[in-house]
Amino acid sequence: MDTNENTLDTSRQDNVARILDAAERLFKHYGYTKTNVADIARDLGMSPANIYRFFSSKADIHQALAHRMLDGSYQAALANAKRSVSAAERLRNHVLQQHRFTLETMLDEKKVHEMVVIAIEQQWPVIEQHLERIRLVIADLIKDGIEAGEFREQDHQLAAECFMSSVVILCHPQLVADCLLETRIGKPEDLVEFGLRALR
């Protein structure tokens, strides 16, 4: 019985992954708004009804894709947080890493950016969940820094909220896109240093 359940679960996961891979490929090529469930089904050689066995709508597929994309960012943040360097260095690397992730994953292709903008504008729970997970990582890094004497005594959770707000222009896809063509004196590294000085 357990073996059958495991087989069914693996089969389901494989089908979900295939659908998400096809959807991502089509969204990137044609754009999210120009792609429908029938297009995804056709690409996979299956019926739309079969897609609906796994996802209730195109928006549901989009949310799952957003979760998969953001989970990559979160896993990178976790790996960085576990490095055996100072809390300040880990915080600095975290922000610059997230900035690169935004530039490379979300802005290099306009169609991917469109998907992200829709997710943010519609205030999907997957975006809020991601921000909360990142907030916890930053709060823990600041707490490490306080305990090591790198940062002054302070409420590490409030400090994390303020730190994130101070560098949001480097990580928020819409803000990053809006600022790409602007000629600014400050570089991303300068803004991160400014935020770190506020913690000391």
Side-chain angles (χ1 to χ4, degrees):
M1 187 67 175
D2 288 343
T3 304
N4 288 340
E5 287 178 3
N6 288 338
T7 302
L8 286 172
D9 190 51
T10 301
S11 176
R12 178 177 176 75
Q13 289 174 8
D14 289 346
N15 280 313
V16 165
R18 283 182 62 226
I19 292 168
L20 291 180
D21 288 344
E24 183 174 11
R25 186 169 58 251
L26 293 174
F27 289 166
K28 283 181 176 180
H29 186 74
Y30 298 107
Y32 174 74
T33 54
K34 293 182 179 178
T35 304
N36 56 43
V37 172
D39 295 324
I40 298 168
R42 191 179 310 111
D43 185 79
L44 290 168
M46 61 173 66
S47 68
N50 202 28
I51 301 283
Y52 288 120
R53 287 178 53 220
F54 302 96
F55 296 97
S56 61
S57 63
K58 183 173 84 167
D60 194 22
I61 295 172
H62 186 179
Q63 287 207 53
L65 271 179
H67 181 270
R68 188 165 77 169
M69 183 186 300
L70 292 172
D71 192 57
S73 165
Y74 175 65
Q75 294 304 325
L78 277 184
N80 173 68
K82 293 174 182 175
R83 292 165 62 221
S84 56
V85 294
S86 69
E89 180 59 29
R90 284 178 284 159
L91 266 177
R92 180 184 297 109
N93 194 67
H94 167 81
V95 177
L96 296 177
Q97 184 182 64
Q98 294 296 309
H99 181 60
R100 284 193 302 273
F101 175 82
T102 302
L103 287 172
E104 293 168 5
T105 309
M106 300 181 184
L107 297 184
D108 280 357
E109 298 182 56
K110 288 185 178 180
K111 301 295 193 293
V112 177
H113 181 59
E114 175 196 15
M115 290 166 55
V116 175
V117 169
I118 290 170
I120 292 171
E121 287 178 346
Q122 295 184 5
Q123 298 180 324
W124 284 354
V126 67
I127 301 293
E128 268 309 308
Q129 289 163 6
H130 173 70
L131 290 176
E132 183 55 32
R133 292 202 299 175
I134 292 293
R135 190 177 292 112
L136 291 173
V137 170
I138 291 177
D140 284 345
L141 287 176
I142 292 174
K143 186 178 179 183
D144 286 351
I146 294 170
E147 291 173 352
E150 293 179 57
F151 305 142
R152 60 184 164 77
E153 283 293 330
Q154 58 196 297
D155 181 330
H156 66 283
Q157 293 179 334
L158 176 60
E161 187 72 38
C162 293
F163 184 81
M164 284 180 71
S165 296
S166 73
V167 296
V168 67
I169 197 170
L170 298 178
C171 305
H172 191 293
Q174 287 168 292
L175 295 177
V176 171
D178 290 344
C179 295
L180 278 179
L181 299 178
E182 289 190 19
T183 54
R184 294 175 176 269
I185 297 173
K187 298 176 182 175
E189 292 82 0
D190 298 321
L191 184 55
V192 177
E193 290 306 318
F194 187 86
L196 288 172
R197 283 198 297 274
L199 296 171
R200 293 183 173 121

